[in-house]
Amino acid sequence: MKKILMLSTGGTIAGEHTETGLVPVYSGDFLVSKIPEVRELCEVECKDVLQLDGTNIQPEDWTILAEAVYDAQQEYDGIVITHGTDTMAYTACALSYMVQNLKKPVILTGSQIAMIDPDTDGKQNLMDAFRAACSGIPGVYIVFHGRIIQGVRSQKTNTRGLDAFHSINAEDTGAVVNGEVVINHMSPMPEGELVLDTRLERRVVQIKLLPGIEPKQLESMIGMGYHGIILEAFGCGGIPNQGRDLLPCLKRAQQFGVAVLIATQCKYGFVDLSVYDVNVQAARLGAMSAYDMSTEAAAVKLMWVLGHTSDLDEVRRMMETCYVGEFEKK
């Protein structure tokens, strides 16, 4: 039987109802006790790492999880991580960058309804996660509502619906159908040595552009000590350059050594800084493209890259390097 480690971090799946709302309190052992059939599938060991609502997950917690995943690679055949859904995609991205060349499954899951509730989706999601962890598929994935989604392509797309996670600009890796793991496509087994690299720069901010946004809002971010700014731009990367012109802000960011990454407000499609005047002029002032990355993957990658270098040329080189299948250039 496969030996699977479950790392529990809290989230809705571990929640208890209180006067102030749902609060995570239950251990990993408790969660596993609700799916006794898992003992017929694999040998399970549980380790409680955190006990947090997903909203309270911080970059420092990604480091704790990455180290736990790295340390478990020799002893276990796979890892399941229970996690709050609201930031699960960010954590999946962080683990993908921080623990590279994984040759075993690392599966994140959780629930929209607490495990203690009779109509919980937690039992099915957790059981499916263990099935995926036993499948041997290498890398970081989210398993939710039967979907198997590559970590760096995942995004929560529904606040309460059970089919809450979707793959952004890539098809699902696979599915769990009637208890069987079905793989649509799988990346080649990585050949390099397992690498733990948890360097992060937390001083990164993300701004969603609105029509009429004042340049001083962006100017203030440049002067507050941020090393990276992600602009959720219009369409395929449009940055206003008339009226309330943001181009002087981009020029100042370049002068101050602040990396500016252009993402899109559209859920699907990709950033192309060569199409329109409002794209090209921004690119000429040093703005970089997020290509077809999800906003989660782009944000976490910029934090990870800036943890390695502050040189803007090197930042660009690393952002344009695909490390774990996070983007595809068009």
Side-chain angles (χ1 to χ4, degrees):
M1 296 180 75
K2 297 286 183 73
K3 186 176 181 181
I4 307 298
L5 174 65
M6 191 177 101
L7 304 174
S8 59
T9 71
T12 296
I13 195 169
E16 176 63 274
H17 298 282
T18 74
E19 292 181 355
T20 58
L22 205 64
V23 176
V25 299
Y26 292 109
S27 68
D29 284 319
F30 174 84
L31 299 180
V32 170
S33 74
K34 297 299 181 180
I35 51 167
E37 62 271 29
V38 75
R39 301 292 182 181
E40 300 175 9
L41 175 70
C42 57
E43 181 183 345
V44 180
E45 291 186 15
C46 297
K47 180 179 180 181
D48 298 324
V49 181
L50 304 166
Q51 194 63 278
L52 295 172
D53 187 294
T55 297
N56 287 323
I57 291 288
Q58 302 286 309
E60 293 84 356
D61 300 319
W62 299 339
T63 298
I64 292 170
L65 279 172
E67 291 173 346
V69 167
Y70 179 83
D71 291 342
Q73 290 302 299
Q74 292 297 322
E75 186 176 353
Y76 298 92
D77 298 301
I79 297 171
V80 169
I81 301 173
T82 53
H83 195 288
T85 58
D86 290 346
T87 55
M88 189 188 297
Y90 288 97
T91 297
C93 292
L95 293 177
S96 299
Y97 297 127
M98 293 170 130
V99 191
Q100 293 187 27
N101 297 327
L102 279 164
K103 297 176 175 62
K104 297 177 181 178
V106 176
I107 310 297
L108 288 88
T109 196
S111 69
Q112 295 283 68
I113 303 171
M115 186 69 95
I116 60 170
D117 290 342
D119 57 347
T120 182
D121 57 329
K123 292 181 181 180
Q124 189 64 58
N125 286 343
L126 189 55
M127 192 65 206
D128 286 349
F130 276 106
R131 291 183 176 112
C134 289
S135 73
I137 182 172
V140 180
Y141 299 90
I142 286 179
V143 170
F144 212 93
H145 198 66
R147 297 178 183 268
I148 302 175
I149 303 169
Q150 187 180 10
V152 286
R153 291 292 190 170
S154 62
Q155 186 174 89
K156 185 175 180 181
T157 58
N158 196 308
T159 60
R160 300 296 297 274
L162 301 188
D163 189 14
F165 285 85
H166 288 82
S167 184
I168 303 301
N169 292 321
E171 67 172 326
D172 290 359
T173 298
V176 183
V177 182
N178 297 324
E180 298 294 327
V181 174
V182 179
I183 302 299
N184 297 328
H185 64 90
M186 185 168 63
S187 301
M189 184 71 73
E191 296 179 358
E193 294 292 322
L194 186 69
V195 174
L196 176 67
D197 186 345
T198 61
R199 287 173 287 180
L200 286 176
E201 173 54 69
R202 292 181 291 105
R203 288 170 291 181
V204 171
V205 66
Q206 189 162 310
I207 302 171
K208 186 169 186 173
L209 299 188
L210 294 174
I213 187 172
E214 292 288 348
K216 62 183 179 182
Q217 292 179 253
L218 182 52
E219 286 279 354
S220 67
M221 297 295 104
I222 297 170
M224 289 176 64
Y226 287 103
H227 289 203
I229 298 174
I230 300 151
L231 296 180
E232 282 191 61
F234 305 116
C236 63
I239 301 294
N241 60 18
Q242 294 181 16
R244 296 175 178 86
D245 183 2
L246 296 185
L247 293 185
C249 302
L250 299 188
K251 184 175 181 179
R252 186 163 181 255
Q254 181 85 350
Q255 293 169 343
F256 276 70
V258 178
V260 177
L261 181 67
I262 307 299
T264 175
Q265 296 180 17
C266 302
K267 188 175 298 296
Y268 301 107
F270 62 97
V271 173
D272 186 343
L273 300 183
S274 68
V275 177
Y276 301 102
D277 175 74
V278 291
N279 309 132
V280 172
Q281 290 199 46
R284 287 177 177 173
L285 290 172
M288 296 173 284
S289 172
Y291 299 110
D292 67 347
M293 283 186 277
S294 68
T295 51
E296 293 87 345
V300 176
K301 182 175 183 178
L302 185 59
M303 296 171 73
W304 183 77
V305 166
L306 289 171
H308 293 74
T309 182
S310 60
D311 180 81
L312 291 183
D313 289 336
E314 181 64 6
V315 171
R316 178 181 296 277
R317 185 195 69 78
M318 293 181 71
M319 289 303 298
E320 292 179 349
T321 301
C322 185
Y323 291 94
V324 286
E326 68 271 22
F327 71 84
E328 181 180 351
K329 287 186 179 181
K330 302 295 183 180

